[in-house]
Amino acid sequence: MQTLSLDYPAGAPAARRALAGVVGSGDLEVLLEPGADGRSTVEINTSVDGVNEIWTAVVDRIFADAAQPAVALEINDFGATPAVVRLRIAQAMEQAAGADTGAH
Amino acid sequence: MDTATLIARESFVERGARERVAGLLDAGTMRELLDPFERLRSPWLAEQDIVTQADDGVVIARGAIAGTAVVCCAVEPAFQGGAIGEVGGAKIAGALELALEDAEAGRPVVPVLLLETGGVRLQEANCGLAAIAEIHAAIAALRAHVPVVGVVAGPVGCFGGMSIAAGLCSQLIATREARLGLNGPQVIEQEAGVDEFDSRDRPMIWSLTGGEQRRATGLVDTLCADDAQAIAAEVAAAVAAGPEDPARVADVDAALARLARIDGDRRAEADWVRDAFQTPTDDRSDA
């Protein structure tokens, strides 16, 4: 297991918390809570060792827009591919923005 | 079933634990207890370098089903195969013990258990087993006050100590895809040999431990399709049915009579096991 902490500039805190995914094979769990004003943080716990560069590249892209709401993300990963990572984070962001998809 | 019905049907099994619970409860009544943001996670998995889930794979929620107060305990099958650790097990045991306190105080709350589990989480060994023993005791005590409703829906099935919890329920609902057994196929093969039980023979495994066979042998009360609406309707009927009197598992004589009719030297096959499990009353009516 490896852990990784990242942070990014952001806008105002997100409106509400949100949850997406499960810690199952090829999937991950995203816990999203409103972040401190102007700053998003991402804490990653992953079952796969040696892929911190890939994680950093994927998450850097997602948080490239500094105008996004500030969030504090906790990610518990069980071997999700970058595509699944993007989808799950997007799902949590959407829920936090108010568009409740009903899915977890 | 025609194609349109099949396409319109919503699977229960494909839902995660939280969605399953949400689908059973009356709209707007779901209130999750110890939700993932409480971060009540396993202290043991991290020490063994295993990623934890924030709710330890167990969802507890209060709510109502057709107006009756219920507490749902749902195991998330995707996380560690639904295995029960110290925290997840304690969440279920605690929810059941609170339901018992409520029932004894004249405020009945019906427990609904969505069991999708390989049994105790081996990494947590005795801590998980202790929680499972508490779950058994709570179900046995609750049964006098309220129906305890169990559902085993998906292919993970329900095994180990949690299969005993399923057996203790007053009403157990299963699908054809579900399996119920004390030991899983590989454990039986390892202990008894491949001649006794071939863990690669899937049709044989389902013929003996699948939902259909468990219904035929009386260990499951209701067989239901993997249809979220149909399962919700069966759960609602079981919740409304009231406490089971007398409890099925209290009939020790019937269970012993069944055991006496099982020939341990004979390899288990679905047909004769069904015959052996018929109750003595059924035998008399056949004669």
Side-chain angles (χ1 to χ4, degrees):
Chain A
M1 186 168 80
Q2 281 196 345
T3 57
L4 182 64
S5 298
L6 303 168
D7 65 286
Y8 303 93
R16 60 180 68 83
R17 63 191 198 182
L19 173 74
V22 294
V23 187
S25 181
D27 205 343
L28 77 170
E29 175 186 56
V30 178
L31 290 101
L32 182 154
E33 289 167 290
D37 195 24
R39 183 162 171 267
S40 283
T41 57
V42 184
E43 301 290 331
I44 301 160
N45 307 297
T46 173
S47 61
V48 187
D49 292 348
V51 290
N52 281 1
E53 281 180 29
I54 298 176
W55 269 104
T56 308
V58 170
V59 179
D60 279 356
R61 269 198 189 189
I62 295 170
F63 286 91
D65 176 6
Q68 286 184 114
V71 295
L73 289 192
E74 175 187 325
I75 293 176
N76 297 310
D77 167 57
F78 219 68
T81 59
V84 173
V85 174
R86 287 200 72 125
L87 280 169
R88 287 297 188 202
I89 294 177
Q91 190 186 349
M93 296 282 214
E94 248 182 58
Q95 283 180 49
D100 190 355
T101 61
H104 287 299
Chain B
M1 184 189 294
D2 61 59
T3 318
T5 317
L6 185 69
I7 289 171
R9 186 170 79 172
E10 264 199 77
S11 168
F12 184 80
V13 171
E14 287 173 15
R15 295 178 171 182
R18 199 162 276 105
E19 287 175 276
R20 290 180 184 190
V21 171
L24 292 179
L25 297 174
D26 297 346
T29 65
M30 181 169 168
R31 180 166 64 87
E32 191 170 346
L33 307 174
L34 299 178
D35 68 46
F37 292 95
E38 304 276 345
R39 293 182 163 82
L40 208 62
R41 57 180 91 237
S42 165
W44 308 107
L45 290 181
E47 285 187 24
Q48 295 167 70
D49 231 20
I50 299 167
V51 178
T52 57
Q53 182 160 303
D55 60 9
D56 203 33
V58 170
V59 175
I60 308 286
R62 284 290 306 265
I65 293 180
T68 301
V70 298
V71 59
C72 291
C73 307
V75 181
E76 171 55 61
F79 177 59
Q80 295 291 329
I84 303 295
E86 182 182 20
V87 172
K91 282 170 77 172
I92 299 175
L96 295 177
E97 284 161 9
L98 287 173
L100 181 60
E101 278 180 26
D102 279 343
E104 286 171 345
R107 299 185 301 269
V109 177
V110 177
V112 177
L113 308 173
L114 308 185
L115 304 172
E116 196 89 28
T117 166
V120 71
R121 190 182 289 159
L122 296 181
Q123 295 93 337
E124 308 192 17
N126 295 356
C127 299
L129 285 171
I132 290 174
E134 287 170 10
I135 292 169
H136 293 166
I139 295 174
L142 273 161
R143 253 182 355 219
H145 302 280
V146 286
V148 181
V149 183
V151 181
V152 185
V156 169
C158 184
F159 290 95
M162 291 306 280
S163 73
I164 301 175
L168 287 169
C169 289
S170 23
Q171 284 286 322
L172 189 60
I173 299 160
T175 66
R176 287 187 71 220
E177 291 75 22
R179 292 172 298 155
L180 177 67
L182 193 59
N183 292 126
Q186 283 168 326
V187 175
I188 303 176
E189 183 186 304
Q190 185 180 313
E191 295 299 320
V194 70
D195 289 338
E196 174 74 20
F197 205 91
D198 183 350
S199 67
R200 290 163 304 174
D201 187 348
R202 294 168 70 85
M204 184 277 293
I205 291 166
W206 260 264
S207 81
L208 283 172
T209 63
E212 206 167 4
Q213 173 79 353
R214 293 315 197 188
R215 174 69 198 97
T217 51
L219 296 172
V220 160
D221 300 288
T222 307
L223 194 63
C224 191
D226 172 25
D227 177 330
Q229 276 190 358
I231 289 178
E234 294 294 352
V235 169
V239 166
E244 176 199 33
D245 183 39
R248 169 185 46 192
V249 292
D251 193 353
V252 177
D253 290 340
L256 288 174
R258 282 174 173 177
L259 275 180
R261 273 181 289 163
I262 293 190
D263 178 359
D265 293 332
R266 196 172 165 194
R267 186 179 153 143
E269 279 162 12
D271 290 344
W272 77 256
V273 171
R274 283 187 192 202
D275 291 341
F277 268 71
Q278 296 306 312
T279 63
T281 320
D282 294 338
D283 283 352
R284 277 198 295 276
S285 63
D286 288 346

